[in-house]
Amino acid sequence: MSDSGERKTTDGRPAAPSDDTPGTEGTSKESAERTGGPHSSAQESGADAAETGMGPGRGGEVEQTTDQDGTAPEGGTRTAPAARDRQGMFGVRGSGDTSGFGGLRLPGYAPAPAERPYGGWFDEFADEFAEALLERGIPRGAVEQVTVDRGEITFYVQREHIVEMCRTLRDDPALRYELCSSVSGVDYGADVDRRLHVVYHLLSMTFRRRIRLEVVLDVDDAHVPSIVEVYPTADWHERETWDMFGVIFDGHPALTRILMPDDWEGHPQRKDYPLGGIPVEYKGAEIPPPDERRAYS
């Protein structure tokens, strides 16, 4: 350390500022917080959520507080999925199940809606996002719920607005989500209303921030507009989601199967698909699905 207080290396050159030097975080925003840092108390779940009074929503209840006009503070409302326990990987009863998943027990979980302040950079982003949507004439109700869980923020959005919402996130200079890194599907099972979910993972390479958009669909009307025109990387991701879950992406340039044969019937990752998969044929022998194999113990 010199008399002036400037830190120097052993060869006399000025040393680089340490990580705790004010104003050195982030690449494009001085106040940008590194991805993965601590965020909102609303992300607590399970036992932690019980302590904070933010446990999972009960099926059929509106999950977010609304204004007098019925619009939530972050825009819109959504109905909480029914929480239920998962038992076994294949719903096996009384068989050998040599796969080892027969005794699987998982509690049902539905993340609670977040409340302000979210924490970290989430509040700043939510304000900028809401302002950008307003400028483009997208109604507040297009966002059905905001959830902060496990250090990630998720916006449940109406499918009619998904394309313009993605375009806003990509083009607005305060947001700049240049990359859609993944489009995937989830099926919560036949006893859940609007059981199909389409999940979009977006990355801002400028601000080093990740968010998630989620669209909820009914299995009898599994249509959602394609976002390929906004994010070309979504092309094969949407094809895979169609192949595995049967979600139809309207406007996709070539919505064909990508994993299964073209003449395959059904969508293998739906919960109503035959349990345990299909038999595997190998050199004249037929190997039954795991839930039909005999036990060897």
Side-chain angles (χ1 to χ4, degrees), residues 249-262:
F249 292 89
D250 298 322
H252 190 282
L255 193 61
T256 58
R257 291 192 182 273
I258 192 172
L259 299 176
M260 308 303 292
D262 290 340

Side-chain angles (χ1 to χ4, degrees), residues 203-264:
L203 168 65
S204 170
M205 294 180 286
T206 300
F207 301 133
R208 296 182 298 135
R209 295 174 171 178
R210 296 180 184 270
I211 65 168
R212 183 165 50 206
L213 305 181
E214 197 157 333
V215 175
V216 183
L217 304 171
D218 190 90
V219 71
D220 296 325
D221 185 21
H223 287 260
V224 64
S226 171
I227 64 167
V228 171
E229 65 179 87
V230 180
Y231 294 114
T233 54
D235 189 340
W236 287 13
H237 296 268
E238 290 184 351
R239 285 179 58 190
E240 182 176 351
T241 306
W242 144 249
D243 197 354
M244 294 290 103
F245 293 94
V247 175
I248 302 171
F249 292 89
D250 298 322
H252 190 282
L255 193 61
T256 58
R257 291 192 182 273
I258 192 172
L259 299 176
M260 308 303 292
D262 290 340
D263 58 351
W264 193 267

Side-chain angles (χ1 to χ4, degrees), residues 99-235:
S99 69
F101 288 106
L104 183 67
R105 296 293 184 272
L106 292 176
Y109 174 69
E115 296 181 1
R116 293 295 191 103
Y118 301 145
W121 54 267
F122 292 158
D123 292 279
E124 176 191 0
F125 167 78
D127 292 338
E128 292 171 343
F129 188 28
E131 183 178 351
L133 294 179
L134 181 63
E135 291 175 355
R136 287 161 176 78
I138 300 176
R140 293 179 63 194
V143 177
E144 297 181 328
Q145 178 182 314
V146 181
T147 294
V148 178
D149 187 61
R150 293 173 175 85
E152 298 178 340
I153 188 166
T154 302
F155 294 84
Y156 290 85
V157 304
Q158 295 177 346
R159 61 180 173 181
E160 295 84 1
H161 302 284
I162 184 64
V163 175
E164 284 306 312
M165 199 167 291
C166 286
R167 198 187 314 277
T168 300
L169 287 163
R170 184 195 66 181
D171 295 343
D172 191 278
L175 305 175
R176 302 191 67 173
Y177 281 81
E178 302 97 338
L179 175 65
C180 175
S181 59
S182 174
V183 179
S184 57
V186 184
D187 183 359
Y188 284 96
D191 55 346
V192 175
D193 293 333
R194 301 171 72 194
R195 56 187 262 195
L196 291 179
H197 290 216
V198 182
V199 186
Y200 305 83
H201 293 263
L202 304 183
L203 168 65
S204 170
M205 294 180 286
T206 300
F207 301 133
R208 296 182 298 135
R209 295 174 171 178
R210 296 180 184 270
I211 65 168
R212 183 165 50 206
L213 305 181
E214 197 157 333
V215 175
V216 183
L217 304 171
D218 190 90
V219 71
D220 296 325
D221 185 21
H223 287 260
V224 64
S226 171
I227 64 167
V228 171
E229 65 179 87
V230 180
Y231 294 114
T233 54
D235 189 340

